[in-house]
């Protein structure tokens, strides 16, 4: 964890359930470099990460 304050964050990955491929959250990267998952419901252990697709 960084000593710099977290001011802005953006989602960089989608968090998907390994069993169902359902979207269960997003992984955020903060301005100070910290990474933090944001869960839609509850945190899950059996997940995979998929990069966010950028709009053209």
């Amino acid at each position: 964890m960084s000593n710099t304050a977290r001011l802005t964050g953006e989602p960089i990955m989608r968090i998907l359930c390994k069993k169902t491929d359902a979207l269960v959250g997003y992984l955020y990267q903060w301005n100070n470099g910290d990474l933090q998952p944001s869960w839609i419901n509850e945190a899950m252990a059996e997940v995979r990460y998929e990069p966010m697709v950028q709009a053209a």
Side-chain angles (χ1 to χ4, degrees):
M1 222 173 167
S2 174
N3 291 333
T4 307
R6 291 180 179 175
L7 300 175
T8 59
E10 67 177 90
I12 59 168
M13 297 254 192
R14 296 176 351 136
I15 306 174
L16 305 171
C17 175
K18 278 188 178 180
K19 295 176 184 174
T20 66
D21 279 338
L23 178 66
V24 296
Y26 295 95
L27 182 66
Y28 278 80
Q29 183 169 26
W30 291 88
N31 61 296
N32 64 0
D34 287 349
L35 298 175
Q36 179 182 22
S38 176
W39 302 99
I40 293 174
N41 291 314
E42 329 179 333
M44 297 179 68
E46 297 291 321
V47 297
R48 66 182 181 86
Y49 294 86
E50 181 177 276
M52 300 288 288
V53 176
Q54 298 294 327

